[in-house]
């Protein structure tokens, strides 16, 4: 079983609508977690990161994410989606399934976002 | 400017040939990573290295090899033992365990 999972493979929203992309994790200790975005054929760009402290973190391009320990989630949100947000989004964190996993950075399967005009 | 450089961007090889993908960083990062990306499967970790002359297998290391002789460089060799090597390969680096990773632009390998 993976430490980081993204249950939604594809999501389609209308431009201007709100967005929430789901990320679940399975850790005992407080993890560090990231959200990245990837445009086709490109590398990954960091949107935001959570290490500790405030559970609501702000990122670039108007994105935010909330760490909820009770739900084992770190969902990415944006209040109003723009057509340029169409891309693939990845949640990432350490692989806590084995000893020494803090060094091992793993990714969820990704969520592909389509934006309708 | 600091960053991670992967080369080449596109690579074509015949089946049965070994091929080496280059990854160089000038960010002074200790840790480096190689990922393979296939449609619908996200990024899967091949190998990672925390320091020079040390590296660990990731989740899909079979058919791949790496070296870490210099802090700046982490080349990946795709050997003939890799049964399905055609994919998009991404290299990343970071300063430490709880910091974000920075990515190169990737190498698309096609084996024919």
């Amino acid at each position: 079983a993976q430490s980081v999972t993204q249950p939604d493979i594809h999501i389609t929203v209308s431009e201007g609508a709100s967005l929430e992309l789901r990320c679940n994790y399975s850790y005992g200790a407080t993890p560090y977690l990231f959200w990245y975005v990837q445009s086709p054929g490109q590398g990954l760009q960091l949107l935001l990161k959570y290490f500790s402290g405030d559970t609501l973190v702000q990122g670039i391009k108007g994105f935010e994410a909330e760490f909820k320990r009770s739900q084992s989630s770190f969902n990415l949100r944006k209040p109003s989606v723009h057509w340029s947000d169409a891309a693939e989004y990845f949640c990432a964190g350490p692989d806590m399934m084995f000893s020494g996993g803090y060094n091992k950075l793993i990714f969820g399967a990704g969520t592909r976002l389509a934006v309708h005009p | 400017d600091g960053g991670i450089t992967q080369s080449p961007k596109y690579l074509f090889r015949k089946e049965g040939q070994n091929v080496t993908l280059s990854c160089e960083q000038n960010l002074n990062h200790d840790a480096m990573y190689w990922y393979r990306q296939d449609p619908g499967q996200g990024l899967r970790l091949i190998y990672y290295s925390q320091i020079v002359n040390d590296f660990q297998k990731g989740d899909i290391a079979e058919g791949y090899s790496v070296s870490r002789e210099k802090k700046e460089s982490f080349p990946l060799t795709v050997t003939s033992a890799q049964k399905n090597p055609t994919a998009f390969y991404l290299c990343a680096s970071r300063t430490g365990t709880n910091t974000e990773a920075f990515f190169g632009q990737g190498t698309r390998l096609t084996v024919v």
Side-chain angles (χ1 to χ4, degrees):
Chain A
Q2 274 275 40
S3 298
V4 177
T5 56
Q6 294 177 249
D8 304 309
I9 298 174
H10 293 281
I11 285 184
T12 301
V13 299
S14 298
E15 192 168 16
S18 63
L19 171 70
E20 183 168 27
L21 303 182
R22 296 186 290 167
C23 173
N24 299 318
Y25 68 90
S26 52
Y27 302 134
T30 301
Y32 60 84
L33 295 163
F34 309 96
W35 274 101
Y36 285 85
V37 62
Q38 184 185 34
S39 298
Q42 300 296 313
L44 274 68
Q45 180 184 21
L46 179 73
L47 286 174
L48 47 80
K49 58 189 178 186
Y50 171 77
F51 292 131
S52 63
D54 290 341
T55 56
L56 183 64
V57 293
Q58 301 296 321
I60 63 171
K61 305 185 180 187
F63 285 94
E64 66 177 27
E66 187 170 10
F67 173 72
K68 292 185 177 180
R69 182 184 297 279
S70 61
Q71 298 177 21
S72 297
S73 69
F74 186 57
N75 294 349
L76 182 71
R77 303 193 297 239
K78 188 169 185 178
S80 177
V81 172
H82 188 262
W83 63 266
S84 60
D85 292 324
E88 190 153 22
Y89 293 80
F90 294 94
C91 184
D95 184 358
M96 299 307 290
M97 294 302 182
F98 75 105
S99 176
Y102 253 86
N103 295 325
K104 187 180 171 189
L105 181 62
I106 61 170
F107 287 75
T111 299
R112 184 167 296 280
L113 174 66
V115 180
H116 280 178
Chain B
D1 287 339
I4 301 178
T5 302
Q6 290 187 243
S7 60
K9 189 171 177 64
Y10 298 97
L11 191 54
F12 295 88
R13 279 295 182 269
K14 291 184 178 180
E15 193 171 339
Q17 290 182 334
N18 291 356
V19 61
T20 297
L21 282 59
S22 171
C23 178
E24 303 279 332
Q25 55 100 358
N26 59 5
L27 300 168
N28 200 33
H29 287 171
D30 289 312
M32 297 188 74
Y33 300 78
W34 273 107
Y35 295 90
R36 171 180 171 140
Q37 187 174 23
D38 298 280
Q41 298 196 51
L43 277 69
R44 293 183 291 168
L45 183 62
I46 305 172
Y47 270 97
Y48 60 109
S49 168
Q50 296 301 117
I51 57 172
V52 174
N53 293 323
D54 187 42
F55 48 83
Q56 289 77 40
K57 292 182 179 180
D59 297 317
I60 56 164
E62 185 175 350
Y64 299 97
S65 66
V66 294
S67 63
R68 187 86 188 275
E69 297 176 0
K70 297 187 299 181
K71 188 175 186 177
E72 306 79 33
S73 178
F74 191 41
L76 173 74
T77 297
V78 185
T79 74
S80 57
Q82 169 51 232
K83 291 181 172 36
N84 185 20
T86 294
F88 188 55
Y89 291 87
L90 286 160
C91 179
S93 72
R94 59 180 183 170
T95 55
T97 300
N98 61 348
T99 58
E100 68 266 30
F102 293 80
F103 281 81
Q105 291 301 298
T107 293
R108 185 165 299 280
L109 172 64
T110 302
V111 176
V112 296

